[in-house]
C-alpha cells in the first residue's frame, strides 16, 4: 500500500509542482519516490523471510536496515540542497491550492500508514521495518512542512517559509539515518 500510494503521490506532486514552479512540491514528490524505494526494500526483505535460515535472515535484515538508513541520507541531502538553493536564488514559487490539497491528503494518510506499519514491525520483530516506519514518519513531517510553507505562500506571500522549514527537517532526517545505520543488531524487544 505504501509503495503504490507514494508512487501516485509522487507523480501528482511533481506534476503540480512543475506547473506552479514549486521546488518544495517537486521535492515532496521526490520524497514520495524515496519512500517507495524504502517500501520496495521491505518487500525485497520479506520476500526471503520463509525461504532462508535464521542466520541468512539476520544478514538480510541488516542489509535492509542499512538500505533504509541510506534513503534518509539521500532525502536529507536533497532537501538541504533544494532549501539552500531556494533561499539563495530567491525564486518564489507560484501559490498552489493543489499543493495544499496534496499536503492535507498526505497528513491524513501518513499517520494511518505509520500506525499499521509500526504494529506490523513489532509483531514481526523486524528492525528494518521499524526503520522504514521512521521514513513514513519523516514523510508526515515533510507533509506538514509542505502545508505550512505552501500555506504561508498562498495566504501571505511568505515564500521563504518553505525552505526554512525544509532545513529544520534535514536535521531530523540525518539523525534518523545515523541512528538507523549505527544499529547493528536486530531489535530484541
Amino acid at each position: 500500500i505504501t509503495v503504490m500510494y507514494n508512487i501516485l503521490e509522487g507523480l501528482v506532486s511533481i506534476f503540480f509542482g512543475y506547473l506552479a514552479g514549486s521546488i518544495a512540491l517537486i521535492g515532496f514528490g521526490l520524497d514520495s519516490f524515496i519512500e517507495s524505494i524504502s517500501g520496495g526494500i521491505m518487500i525485497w526483505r520479506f520476500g526471503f523471510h520463509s525461504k532462508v535460515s535464521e542466520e541468512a535472515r539476520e544478514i538480510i535484515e541488516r542489509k535492509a536496515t542499512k538500505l533504509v538508513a541510506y534513503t534518509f541520507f539521500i532525502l536529507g541531502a536533497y532537501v538541504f540542497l533544494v532549501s539552500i538553493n531556494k533561499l539563495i536564488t530567491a525564486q518564489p514559487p507560484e501559490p498552489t491550492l493543489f499543493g495544499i490539497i496534496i499536503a492535507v491528503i498526505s497528513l491524513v494518510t501518513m499517520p494511518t500508514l505509520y500506525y499499521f506499519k509500526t504494529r506490523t514491525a513489532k509483531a514481526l520483530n523486524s528492525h528494518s521495518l521499524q526503520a522504514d516506519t521512521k521514513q513514513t514518519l519523516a514523510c508526515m513531517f515533510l507533509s506538514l512542512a509542505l502545508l505550512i510553507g505552501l500555506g504561508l505562500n498562498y495566504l501571505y506571500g511568505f515564500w521563504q517559509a518553505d525552505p526554512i522549514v525544509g532545513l529544520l527537517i534535514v536535521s531530523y532526517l540525518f539523525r534518523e539515518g545515523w541512528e538507523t545505520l549505527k544499529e547493528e543488531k536486530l531489535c530484541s524487544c
Side-chain angles (χ1 to χ4, degrees):
I1 292 172
T2 301
V3 173
M4 292 185 307
Y5 171 79
N6 280 299
I7 289 172
L8 178 62
E9 180 182 76
L11 291 171
V12 171
S13 296
I14 289 172
F15 175 75
F16 285 113
Y18 175 77
L19 291 180
S22 171
I23 295 173
L25 196 50
I26 290 170
F28 182 75
L30 292 174
D31 164 56
S32 298
F33 291 136
I34 290 175
E35 177 84 12
S36 295
I37 291 169
S38 181
I41 292 167
M42 291 300 97
I43 292 169
W44 165 79
R45 183 261 182 261
F46 287 107
F48 291 105
H49 193 72
S50 63
K51 300 173 186 168
V52 296
S53 69
E54 184 65 31
E55 184 179 309
R57 247 192 309 258
E58 288 181 22
I59 292 169
I60 292 168
E61 179 83 7
R62 285 190 186 108
K63 281 183 182 179
T65 300
K66 286 180 182 179
L67 288 171
V68 171
Y70 297 144
T71 64
F72 280 110
F73 294 126
I74 292 167
L75 178 56
Y78 177 79
V79 172
F80 177 78
L81 292 173
V82 169
S83 297
I84 293 296
N85 183 51
K86 193 171 180 185
L87 284 171
I88 291 172
T89 60
Q91 296 177 2
E94 293 294 319
T96 172
L97 183 58
F98 290 112
I100 292 170
I101 292 168
I102 291 167
V104 169
I105 291 170
S106 185
L107 275 172
V108 171
T109 305
M110 287 301 136
T112 305
L113 287 173
Y114 176 77
Y115 171 76
F116 285 110
K117 287 168 76 171
T118 301
R119 273 186 36 190
T120 303
K122 287 179 183 176
L124 295 174
N125 196 24
S126 170
H127 192 274
S128 60
L129 189 55
Q130 288 173 348
D132 182 66
T133 65
K134 292 179 183 180
Q135 187 74 276
T136 303
L137 188 62
C139 187
M140 186 175 71
F141 288 136
L142 285 174
S143 301
L144 180 60
L146 181 68
L147 180 60
I148 291 169
L150 294 179
L152 289 173
N153 185 33
Y154 187 82
L155 296 172
Y156 305 109
F158 183 56
W159 65 269
Q160 296 91 343
D162 179 71
I164 291 169
V165 172
L167 290 172
L168 295 174
I169 290 172
V170 167
S171 63
Y172 168 81
L173 294 170
F174 283 137
R175 182 180 60 93
E176 290 302 320
W178 175 251
E179 287 181 8
T180 301
L181 194 58
K182 76 178 184 178
E183 298 279 334
E184 292 184 4
K185 62 179 186 162
L186 296 174
C187 180
S188 59
C189 46

